[in-house]
Amino acid sequence: MDEIIGLFPTPFMRVPAALGPELVDGLVRHFAAAAVRSNNSSANLSHTEMLQPGDSPLLVECANLIMPKLIDFGALLFGERIGWSVKEMWVNVLNTGGRQAMHNHANSFVSGVVYLTATHPDAQTVFMKSPGGSDFAFRNDHNRTTPGPYSADKWVSPAPQPGDLVLFPSYLMHAVPPNPGEQRITMSFNAIPARLDSWGYKITFGG
Ligand SMILES: [Fe+2]
């Protein structure tokens, strides 16, 4: 029997209802109005300042709920249940017509998004394969191709509900297509492991 083995797959974690409705409402009430920093990819997208869990009891509560999921996810990435810390957290307000350009998160190992409002189906977060380096590219994509897990270069994440969490490796490129729906609010964050140890070559990370 033929067999196809997905070599070296990339983990992507979905946690439905990671945050309860009261916490989600509290985050929207406290932080949506604080999203005053503009984004240069869209006039209809704004963010809060970078926040730390210690800046608000609401953020501490979020970090505490996220932590066990980070440890599970980290075990997939590094083969060990190690300590993690949530560093920056920020709230994104994407108004009708707004979009977020393709980007990834520097100086971080695991990044995550908590959805705080309903998300229009056209504005679900899209993840992309690395665009590659400076070599010439060869592709086969046209209206007769059927993209699959090995040939597709982008993936639309599943429809989220308010309170849902996703975790992904920080190097993964992602974007939000133009939002034709109502205001879409999310909270993003970055996380780092306490230490990595390669047969005695160790590195520890600050907060
Ligand atoms: Fe992002």
Side-chain angles (χ1 to χ4, degrees):
M1 180 136 159
D2 295 351
E3 187 180 9
I4 299 294
I5 297 170
L7 274 185
F8 311 127
T10 306
F12 179 94
M13 188 179 200
R14 290 178 73 199
V15 185
L19 272 57
E22 274 179 32
L23 182 53
V24 168
D25 286 352
L27 290 166
V28 169
R29 262 186 281 114
H30 276 77
F31 295 108
V36 293
R37 286 180 59 126
S38 57
N39 182 283
N40 56 15
S41 67
S42 172
N44 293 315
L45 172 61
S46 59
H47 316 275
T48 60
E49 300 290 333
M50 288 295 144
L51 304 163
Q52 315 260 303
D55 290 340
S56 158
L58 289 171
L59 298 179
V60 171
E61 200 178 336
C62 291
N64 288 341
L65 290 167
I66 291 165
M67 190 58 65
K69 308 301 174 189
L70 264 178
I71 293 169
D72 288 348
F73 191 76
L76 297 176
L77 285 180
F78 292 118
E80 184 187 2
R81 301 183 70 78
I82 45 186
W84 284 78
S85 48
V86 174
K87 314 187 290 157
E88 309 80 27
M89 309 170 87
W90 63 99
V91 171
N92 312 289
V93 176
L94 187 73
N95 287 313
T96 307
R99 58 185 283 277
Q100 171 62 290
M102 181 165 83
H103 66 284
N104 59 10
H105 295 201
N107 300 340
S108 174
F109 286 85
V110 172
S111 296
V113 177
V114 180
Y115 294 87
L116 301 179
T117 60
T119 297
H120 188 282
D122 291 356
Q124 288 166 212
T125 315
V126 176
F127 289 81
M128 274 143 284
K129 267 188 196 166
S130 165
S134 52
D135 295 333
F136 290 105
F138 299 92
R139 310 172 65 87
N140 185 55
D141 39 5
H142 49 74
N143 58 13
R144 298 183 309 283
T145 58
T146 306
Y150 303 106
S151 62
D153 58 6
K154 71 176 166 186
W155 177 74
V156 180
S157 58
Q161 296 296 316
D164 289 1
L165 161 72
V166 299
L167 293 176
F168 52 90
S170 300
Y171 59 77
L172 261 192
M173 304 300 292
H174 55 285
V176 183
N179 174 27
E182 314 238 307
Q183 190 177 66
R184 171 193 186 278
I185 304 176
T186 54
M187 185 182 71
S188 305
F189 58 88
N190 288 326
I192 49 170
R195 55 127 186 90
L196 296 175
D197 178 347
S198 179
W199 300 106
Y201 296 170
K202 296 179 193 166
I203 190 165
T204 55
F205 297 96

